[in-house]
Amino acid sequence: MEKNLTIDFVSDVSCPWCAIGLASLQQALARVNGAISAQSTFQPVELNPNMAPEGEDTTEHLAKKYGSTPEQAAAIKETIRARGAELGFTFNLDKRSRIYNTFDAHRLLHWAQMEGADKQLALKNALLKAYCTDGEDPSNHAVLVRAAQAAW
């Protein structure tokens, strides 16, 4: 007998660990397909709600926020890249040199949820790819439009 599961996934599109968590969750759900029917919805959390419109250099931001040295930041980037590769998610963290405000990306995800869980998941994946793989600015409306088009 198939069991139903509702998952509220709380994350930000500028968080590489959130991308890893989502890829891990999707793989786990694929393994139990048929035994568990899961529906995920994405709840917003802005890791940097007061971020200036032009964003901030990633290394400087991590140093300020967590006290990370450049060497520690490089080691963490490699850990993220390797874990992503294991999951089939490509991180190009050298392209992701800035951290941006993600408020409008979360607004778009909310709209996508009203269109259906599959649309919201597709948009979430498109936004994570735009930022973590392609190094695009998730506060830029042209980027948001392209992500929405990719999800549809």
Side-chain angles (χ1 to χ4, degrees):
M1 178 198 292
E2 186 175 78
K3 297 181 181 180
N4 295 319
L5 178 65
T6 300
I7 300 169
D8 284 321
F9 194 89
V10 181
S11 64
D12 197 347
V13 299
S14 67
C15 173
W17 294 109
C18 295
I20 288 169
L22 180 57
S24 297
L25 175 63
Q26 288 177 295
Q27 285 189 8
L29 290 174
R31 284 194 299 271
V32 297
N33 189 22
I36 296 175
S37 172
Q39 181 168 343
S40 299
T41 58
F42 297 93
Q43 305 301 325
V45 62
E46 285 184 88
L47 294 176
N48 304 292
N50 299 317
M51 184 62 63
E54 68 277 4
E56 187 174 345
D57 177 83
T58 303
T59 304
E60 291 173 14
H61 176 77
L62 294 173
K64 271 194 322 193
K65 191 169 186 175
Y66 302 112
S68 300
T69 66
E71 295 79 19
Q72 289 169 323
I76 291 168
K77 282 182 179 181
E78 177 52 27
T79 299
I80 290 168
R81 187 210 58 74
R83 181 64 180 131
E86 290 172 10
L87 295 165
F89 189 94
T90 301
F91 284 99
N92 290 318
L93 298 177
D94 55 322
K95 290 184 178 182
R96 190 192 68 116
S97 62
R98 300 190 73 72
I99 294 177
Y100 299 96
N101 184 288
T102 56
F103 182 79
D104 285 344
H106 289 296
R107 288 178 32 188
L108 187 60
L109 282 163
H110 176 73
W111 169 76
Q113 181 182 10
M114 294 186 293
E115 297 295 313
D118 59 330
K119 298 291 186 194
Q120 192 185 36
L121 174 60
L123 178 61
K124 182 69 168 192
N125 281 320
L127 290 168
L128 288 167
K129 179 186 178 298
Y131 182 63
C132 295
T133 303
D134 302 335
E136 295 185 288
D137 174 358
S139 69
N140 180 300
H141 289 181
V143 171
L144 296 176
V145 167
R146 280 196 307 277
Q149 288 170 334
W152 263 250

